[in-house]
Structure formats: structure tokens, C-alpha cells
Amino acid sequence: MKQEDMMEQTRENKMGVMPVNKLLITMSLPMMASMLVQALYNVVDSIFVSRINENALTAVSLAFPIQTLMVAVGVGTCVGINAVLSKALGEKNQEVVNKTAGNGMLLMALSYLVFLMVGLFATKRFYLSQTDDAQIVQYGCEYLSVVCCLSFGMFTQFTFERLLQSTGKTFYIMVTQGIGAVINIILDPIFIFGLLGMPRLGVRGAAVATVIGQITAGLLACAINMKKNDEIQITGQALKPDVEIIKLIYKIGVPSIIMQAIGSVMTYGMNRILITFSSTATAVFGVYFKLQSFIFMPVFGMNNGLVPILAYNYGAGKKDRFTDSLKCGVKYAIGIMVIGLIIFQTIPDMLLRLFDASDDMLAIGESALRTISYSFVFAGFGIVCGTAFQALGCATYSMMVSIARQLVVLLPAAYLLALSGDVNQVWWAFPIAELMSLLMTIIFMVRINRRIIRHIGEDNVSGNAIRMEET
């Protein structure tokens, strides 16, 4: 019997047998490294663009809500794909694994078509809703139309990288994202400034470099899946639309899409509030988002490694492994956020000078970075708990917290603080909102622990999760 148990263990995916701390580190480090590279090339984009002029930097900053929305749709759908596929792997249901992968690919193709329409018909109207500065609008349309119309590379990259992630092959994601990022970084100055005989494309050049990197990474991730990911078989049958599978994907994915899309609404609203002070204040907000990605991206990378671990062990009924993984995730997330807090508090001026900051931008930016960073530690805890909600099929809790933080508290608080006439007061809306979301997260975590986590491995745990969603 012992020999049979050992044989069964060797056949089981590493997410069900490897020591939890080692497993989380093994699966997360490649994702964290690739996310850091992603953050690097996002920052490099803005650094090069800022050398054109401050209006160019502002234009790229104002594009952020649409870019955030694209990422929300892509990543949110992939959260659903990831959770459903990993749970099916834990249950050893190969048919559902294959259908989830195939239907996920179809959903991402449809997502691209939506943003193709945005790129063709809506970019100028979007910019005019935020500013009447002709140069900013021109720069913005040049940048955003390229990013949207050629976003098929980004959606392809998201899809095939998450299929690799779902089966624990996170090392390859580091490879694909790293290569895409390096290509973008190399091409940025070439296309923006017209080096090596290329035409000077300015702001449009930054967008062209970005999409070329995404397309390359997407094609590479597809090729790796075909050759290395033998736990998923994408056949013609798997590509046929399956209503039940799509419902399962979106049951988890839609709350995540909404949750991240709320960030797009928040960014748009903050841009509208800040531009009443100056375009410099809006540029500072854009720079903050670029810089904070160096702190948040590693946490998101760790989360990307954590999602399949939680979902797999939930599906396999292994409560102790689920709770140990969650505790490790919280510990590492808070540690990363503390490092970010220290950096933003001590050297904000050095960070801002990377973007060729003027004296006015430095004055506004130093206050912004220091004030907003007070919210980092709270955010780390909330991000990991939100991941647990999603892995347990209770993603609406994450959505509720996000709505409350960004729409119910942050934007109204920013608007009221803006009435003081001092832009430095507006930044306090972020710590205020994060503190409120911390309280909500704790309440939901206590409830979900009592209703689901304690009962993982029991026959009625899935029913508990469904009832939690319904209530």
C-alpha cells in the first residue's frame, strides 16, 4: 500500500505535494522577476517620453485608464481561466481542463475585437473628455490608437502565459515576459528618437515598441504551450464554445474584471480632479503609477503563483496546505510593501528625477509619493486576501472591497480634499481609502474562514462556496 501511495504522489502535480513555502517561492519567483521586468519597461517608456516634453508625459499618463481597462479585461478573464483550470487539475478532470483552455482562448480573441473598435473610433473623444490642450490630445491619440489596435499581442500573451501558470510552469512566463520587455526597452529609443536610420516617431514610437514586445512574447508563450505544456491538450473539440465552461470562467473572472476596471474609472476620475490644478499634477499621478508598479508588481507576481496553489489544494480538499499557502502569501506581501514604503519615504526626489522632473513637478511629486505610500502595507494584506476570495470562488468579495475603496471612498475623498485648493491634500485620499478596505477585508476574511476554509475537504465545501456567492 505504501508503494502505491508513493506512486500516486509522484503522479500528482507538485502543487499538491511540495512543501508549501518552497512551492510558493518556486512558483512565485519567476513570476515576480517577470513582473519586475514588466514594471521596468513601463517606467522606461515614460522616462524616454518625458525627454520629448512634459505634455508628452501627460498624454501617456492620461492614456492609463484605457490601458488599465484592457489589462482588466485580459487579466480578469485569465483569473477565471486560471482558477477553473487549476481546480480541474486538482480534481483530475482532463476534459474540463482542455475545454477551459480552449474557451479561454476564444474569450480573449473577442476581447481584442472590442479594443480594436476603441482604437479605431474612440481615442480622440476619450482625450477631449479630459483636456482641451491640442498637443496633449495629439500625442495621446498617436499613442493610444496604436496600443489599442495592436493589442492582440497583449491578449495572446495573457492567455498562453496563464495556461502555463495554471499548470505550475511559471519559469517559462519569466522567459516570455522578459524577452518581450527587453525588446520593448531596446526599441523605445530607436522608434521615439529615430535612431539607427529609423524615422522619428515620437510618442507613437513608444506605443510601437510596446506592441512589438507584446506580440513577440505572445507568440513565444503560444509556442512553449504547444511544446511543453502536456497537461493541457488544445484540440478542435476544446475550442468549441461551451456555455457551462464560459459561465464558470466568468463567474470568477467578471468580478475580477470589474474590480480592476474600477481602477480605470478611479484613474480617469483622479485625472479629472488633478488637471484642475495643473497638467503637472496629472503627470505626477502618472509617474506615481509607473513607480509604484515596482512595489506592487512583485506582489502581483507572487499572487499569480499563489492562485493556482490555492485553487489546486481547494479542489483537492487539502485544508492545511491551503491555509499555510495563504499565510505565506500574506507574510511575503507585507514584507515587500514595507520595503516600498521605506523607498518612497526616503528618496522620492531621486525617483522623480528619472522623469526629467521640473522644480514644480518635484514639489508636487515628493509630497504625493510620501503620502500615498502610507497605504502600501494595508494594500499588501488586502491583495493576498482578495486572491484567496477568487481561488475559493467568492470573487465578489474582492469586487465589493475594490468598489468601496476606489469609488465609494477614494474619489469622493479626493474631490472633497481638492476643495481645499491644495493639491498636496488630495493624496491623503489613498491612505484613507486603503484603511477602509482593510477593515472590510478583515470582516470578509473572518466570514469566509468560518463558512468555507474550515470545511475544505468536506463534501459540502463547494456548496458552501456557491451559497456564499449568492449571499
Side-chain angles (χ1 to χ4, degrees):
M1 183 69 179
K2 291 182 179 179
Q3 186 177 2
E4 292 177 358
D5 289 342
M6 290 176 64
M7 291 177 65
E8 178 63 28
Q9 189 180 58
T10 58
R11 285 194 297 266
E12 187 170 0
N13 189 286
K14 66 180 180 180
M15 291 186 285
V17 295
M18 185 181 288
V20 166
N21 192 60
K22 181 180 178 182
L23 176 63
L24 181 58
I25 292 173
T26 300
M27 291 191 63
S28 295
L29 277 181
M31 297 296 298
M32 293 169 71
S34 63
M35 288 287 196
L36 276 171
V37 175
Q38 291 278 323
L40 175 63
Y41 86 73
N42 285 335
V43 168
V44 169
D45 266 358
S46 293
I47 289 174
F48 283 125
V49 166
S50 69
R51 266 52 182 183
I52 299 173
N53 58 44
E54 192 173 287
N55 276 350
L57 180 60
T58 300
V60 172
S61 299
L62 291 176
F64 201 70
I66 296 294
Q67 291 180 287
T68 302
L69 188 58
M70 282 196 292
V71 172
V73 173
V75 172
T77 303
C78 284
V79 165
I81 296 169
N82 203 342
V84 175
L85 200 154
S86 294
K87 187 170 182 289
L89 280 172
E91 297 168 340
K92 296 179 171 55
N93 190 333
Q94 189 63 46
E95 182 182 1
V96 173
V97 168
N98 297 341
K99 286 185 176 180
T100 302
N103 279 258
M105 292 166 61
L106 292 176
L107 294 176
M108 296 299 265
L110 292 174
S111 299
Y112 162 64
L113 293 177
V114 171
F115 286 99
L116 173 62
M117 295 299 103
V118 173
L120 291 174
F121 304 112
T123 54
K124 187 172 183 178
R125 187 171 300 175
F126 168 75
Y127 270 94
L128 288 172
S129 71
Q130 299 180 87
T131 180
D132 57 1
D133 187 301
Q135 189 178 54
I136 293 176
V137 172
Q138 179 187 343
Y139 283 150
C141 291
E142 291 176 1
Y143 180 82
L144 193 57
S145 59
V146 173
V147 169
C148 289
C149 290
L150 298 179
S151 60
F152 64 85
M154 183 191 73
F155 286 109
T156 300
Q157 182 181 354
F158 281 156
T159 304
F160 288 102
E161 285 180 350
R162 292 315 180 270
L163 294 185
L164 291 168
Q165 176 189 335
S166 297
T167 55
K169 296 175 176 63
T170 53
F171 171 78
Y172 295 112
I173 300 175
M174 180 179 67
V175 173
T176 58
Q177 291 191 350
I179 289 175
V182 168
I183 288 173
N184 183 39
I185 292 171
I186 293 172
L187 294 181
D188 257 335
I190 294 174
F191 288 133
I192 292 173
F193 304 114
L195 305 180
L196 303 178
M198 296 298 295
R200 182 185 176 95
L201 299 177
V203 175
R204 183 182 284 113
V208 171
T210 295
V211 297
I212 290 176
Q214 291 169 344
I215 292 168
T216 304
L219 293 175
L220 183 58
C222 178
I224 292 173
N225 265 281
M226 298 300 105
K227 293 184 178 181
K228 301 291 186 180
N229 206 358
D230 54 6
E231 292 179 83
I232 301 173
Q233 291 86 46
I234 302 174
T235 63
Q237 186 67 29
L239 289 168
K240 290 183 179 179
D242 186 308
V243 174
E244 293 305 314
I245 294 293
I246 292 172
K247 284 182 180 178
L248 284 172
I249 291 172
Y250 276 138
K251 178 184 176 184
I252 298 171
V254 166
S256 182
I257 292 171
I258 293 173
M259 183 174 64
Q260 295 185 69
I262 288 166
S264 177
V265 176
M266 181 276 292
T267 307
Y268 180 81
M270 285 297 297
N271 284 340
R272 293 287 300 269
I273 291 169
L274 292 170
I275 208 162
T276 61
F277 291 95
S278 66
S279 62
T280 300
T282 306
V284 165
F285 186 54
V287 166
Y288 158 73
F289 263 103
K290 300 289 184 179
L291 291 172
Q292 61 92 31
S293 65
F294 276 106
I295 311 304
F296 281 80
M297 283 296 193
V299 177
F300 291 142
M302 185 204 64
N303 259 23
N304 285 337
L306 183 62
V307 167
I309 296 172
L310 295 177
Y312 183 98
N313 287 287
Y314 171 45
K318 299 183 178 184
K319 180 179 70 174
D320 290 343
R321 289 184 62 81
F322 182 96
T323 55
D324 288 347
S325 301
L326 182 59
K327 290 175 183 176
C328 280
V330 169
K331 177 178 67 176
Y332 290 132
I334 291 177
I336 293 169
M337 287 300 192
V338 168
I339 294 171
L341 172 64
I342 293 170
I343 292 171
F344 274 53
Q345 289 294 320
T346 54
I347 56 168
D349 55 332
M350 293 175 61
L351 297 175
L352 290 163
R353 285 195 175 95
L354 292 172
F355 301 87
D356 201 25
S358 63
D359 291 341
D360 190 25
M361 189 172 178
L362 282 171
I364 297 173
E366 288 184 32
S367 174
L369 297 188
R370 286 197 173 106
T371 302
I372 298 175
S373 65
Y374 289 128
S375 66
F376 283 2
V377 176
F378 302 148
F381 177 81
I383 290 168
V384 176
C385 289
T387 297
F389 299 157
Q390 292 165 359
L392 291 168
C394 301
T396 51
Y397 279 1
S398 297
M399 181 179 68
M400 291 167 65
V401 171
S402 187
I403 290 172
R405 180 177 67 249
Q406 299 187 77
L407 300 186
V408 177
V409 178
L410 195 152
L411 279 181
Y415 175 77
L416 292 174
L417 290 167
L419 296 179
S420 68
D422 182 0
V423 69
N424 294 323
Q425 298 300 316
V426 176
W427 312 122
W428 284 102
F430 287 87
I432 292 169
E434 207 62 59
L435 180 60
M436 180 282 308
S437 72
L438 173 68
L439 297 176
M440 285 187 66
T441 299
I442 291 172
I443 292 170
F444 287 149
M445 200 67 211
V446 169
R447 186 181 185 209
I448 210 170
N449 180 62
R450 185 178 69 248
R451 297 285 296 275
I452 299 180
I453 295 175
R454 288 182 182 177
H455 304 288
I456 291 176
E458 298 175 8
D459 292 338
N460 66 337
V461 66
S462 296
N464 286 340
I466 293 171
R467 286 193 292 275
M468 287 280 286
E469 285 286 358
E470 291 175 346
T471 56

